[in-house]
Amino acid sequence: MFALFKKKSSTSQDSYQASWLVRHIPPSIKQRWSRWISKRLPPQAKVTLSHKGIFILPSAFGFAWLALILLLYLFGTNYQNNLVIGLSLLLGSVFHTCIIYSYKNLAGLTFSAVAPADAYAHQSHSFPILLTGHNKQTNTETTHQQICLQFSQQRHFRLKQTDENSVATVFYDNPRRGWLRPGRITVWSNFPLGLFKAWSYVDLDLKQLVFAQPIECDIKLTSQSSTQDDNQINGTTRAGVDDYTGLRSYVTGESLKQVAWKQVAQGKGMLTKEFNEPEGMPVWLSLTEQTADNLELKLSQLSWQVNKLSERKQVFGLILDQQTLAQNCGEQHRLACQKAIALYRPEMSMQPERDNDTNIFEQAVNNAR
């Protein structure tokens, strides 16, 4: 019966259900609520839910259940039917018991952030969150069920059942270039019967640098020399003795001077150190050489070219007006270039430090629904 009142888990409109009610709440009340939540649940690297931060209110189905109890009780007393009165009391005891189980389903859950993957502007990004349950050794079947996580005004992720350690991916769609601080995560559950909605706010002080959206284009490399224009020769690398690049398996007959004896002593076998050196003239990626119509498109083209050149293991530098990154190659150089592109003219690209505090109040009203 209660399944008829359950919401679809795939919808992304859960946070907008009570928007009409939020608009009629005075701003002073919203500000007071936001300050109270910020003081009660401050940002932490690891958050464990307890009675201090768990809120519980009846759902729409819960209010319908209460109305049914009242109707049955009035019917039973009016017609002096003890069976109907007993049924109303039974439903009331179930309603009361669900409060306890709704609380226990969230209490003890510990949340901590996991290092996310690279984030690119205008693409769906996810923050992996580690959930640690309180499964008891004496009862391994005791788990947290139907746990939902959601950033403000974003899609939610539903975890049907938690293990001792579970990872939930909380979505954030269409971020802008620059630093992204998504703010608090709303955690809620309607378990066990959907009569109550228990929720809390988890602030892990998340922060992610969003790179410019890569847009495929022709690679435009410039060189300081006018005598060589072949970009496939300029900026490439060859075997040499300048830059250490890594280890590879030892080939019989190679010089023992190149053997990584430290790894041999650790029992990792015979490995050879690899060194490279630049070949040809140094080449540059330059913002001024991009032919796109606006700044964001130019930065997106640079973002794609940086990734492509890094895949080729090509040596290159990056010029962004007054900022210059020296020629290099490898993963660290790629990340440095992407960071410089993402933060270029931050006054134009930075997102707000955090979502507006009034969103917290709006979430509370929505959860109460």
Side-chain angles (χ1 to χ4, degrees), residues 131 145-149 157-162 166-168:
L131 280 71
Q145 301 185 43
Q146 300 298 325
I147 306 299
C148 299
L149 302 94
F157 175 86
R158 184 185 300 274
L159 195 63
K160 293 184 178 179
Q161 182 172 317
T162 64
S166 303
V167 176

Side-chain angles (χ1 to χ4, degrees), residues 30-85:
K30 294 181 181 180
Q31 294 174 2
R32 291 180 61 183
W33 169 260
S34 300
R35 288 195 298 267
W36 183 79
I37 284 293
S38 299
K39 183 178 179 180
R40 189 175 182 86
L41 303 173
Q44 301 179 55
K46 181 180 291 187
V47 176
T48 300
L49 298 184
S50 65
H51 67 280
K52 182 179 179 180
I54 297 178
F55 309 92
I56 303 176
L57 281 176
S59 63
F61 178 50
F63 283 113
W65 188 281
L66 281 175
L68 177 62
I69 293 173
L70 180 61
L71 180 63
L72 289 175
Y73 183 78
L74 292 176
F75 179 84
T77 54
N78 185 54
Y79 292 95
Q80 298 182 358
N81 190 322
N82 293 333
L83 183 61
V84 176
I85 295 175

Side-chain angles (χ1 to χ4, degrees), residues 51-306:
H51 67 280
K52 182 179 179 180
I54 297 178
F55 309 92
I56 303 176
L57 281 176
S59 63
F61 178 50
F63 283 113
W65 188 281
L66 281 175
L68 177 62
I69 293 173
L70 180 61
L71 180 63
L72 289 175
Y73 183 78
L74 292 176
F75 179 84
T77 54
N78 185 54
Y79 292 95
Q80 298 182 358
N81 190 322
N82 293 333
L83 183 61
V84 176
I85 295 175
L87 178 60
S88 66
L89 295 178
L90 176 62
L91 295 179
S93 65
V94 171
F95 185 84
H96 180 269
T97 304
C98 283
I99 300 177
I100 301 173
Y101 279 95
S102 296
Y103 167 79
K104 291 181 64 177
N105 192 48
L106 290 185
L109 264 179
T110 299
F111 299 81
S112 55
V114 180
D118 290 348
Y120 291 92
H122 309 300
Q123 297 180 7
S124 180
H125 181 60
S126 60
F127 289 86
I129 306 297
L130 177 64
L131 280 71
T132 305
H134 67 322
N135 296 10
K136 299 180 180 178
Q137 295 181 354
T138 57
N139 186 8
T140 56
E141 298 300 324
T142 302
T143 60
H144 305 272
Q145 301 185 43
Q146 300 298 325
I147 306 299
C148 299
L149 302 94
Q150 178 186 30
F151 289 118
S152 176
Q153 307 298 324
Q154 298 292 326
R155 293 181 292 151
H156 74 265
F157 175 86
R158 184 185 300 274
L159 195 63
K160 293 184 178 179
Q161 182 172 317
T162 64
D163 299 321
E164 187 175 353
N165 291 291
S166 303
V167 176
T169 54
V170 189
F171 303 106
Y172 196 103
D173 295 328
N174 298 319
R176 290 184 290 174
R177 177 173 61 89
W179 285 112
L180 169 65
R181 293 178 174 86
R184 298 177 182 270
I185 301 173
T186 303
V187 181
W188 81 88
S189 176
N190 291 322
F191 183 83
L193 296 179
L195 294 175
F196 290 90
K197 185 168 187 177
W199 78 94
S200 184
Y201 302 108
V202 175
D203 193 343
L204 299 175
D205 199 19
L206 298 174
K207 180 181 179 182
Q208 173 78 8
L209 181 61
V210 179
F211 300 148
Q213 179 184 13
I215 295 180
E216 186 173 353
C217 61
D218 294 332
I219 297 179
K220 299 183 180 296
L221 293 172
T222 61
S223 175
Q224 293 178 342
S225 172
S226 60
T227 60
Q228 293 187 7
D229 295 324
D230 188 357
N231 292 334
Q232 301 299 323
I233 297 178
N234 293 342
T236 59
T237 60
R238 63 183 178 186
V241 296
D242 291 344
D243 299 322
Y244 171 74
T245 58
L247 299 172
R248 61 174 175 81
S249 299
Y250 175 77
V251 178
T252 304
E254 289 183 328
S255 173
L256 295 179
K257 294 181 180 180
Q258 301 297 106
V259 173
W261 294 107
K262 183 177 180 180
Q263 278 68 27
V264 174
Q266 294 175 353
K268 297 181 179 179
M270 295 283 284
L271 299 173
T272 299
K273 298 179 181 179
E274 280 192 314
F275 296 86
N276 287 333
E277 63 182 10
E279 181 180 15
M281 299 298 296
V283 291
W284 302 83
L285 283 175
S286 176
L287 180 63
T288 57
E289 294 295 325
Q290 306 306 311
T291 58
D293 296 333
N294 58 64
L295 174 64
E296 291 300 324
L297 284 178
K298 290 181 178 180
L299 295 176
S300 295
Q301 291 177 351
L302 280 179
S303 177
W304 184 86
Q305 294 177 58
V306 166

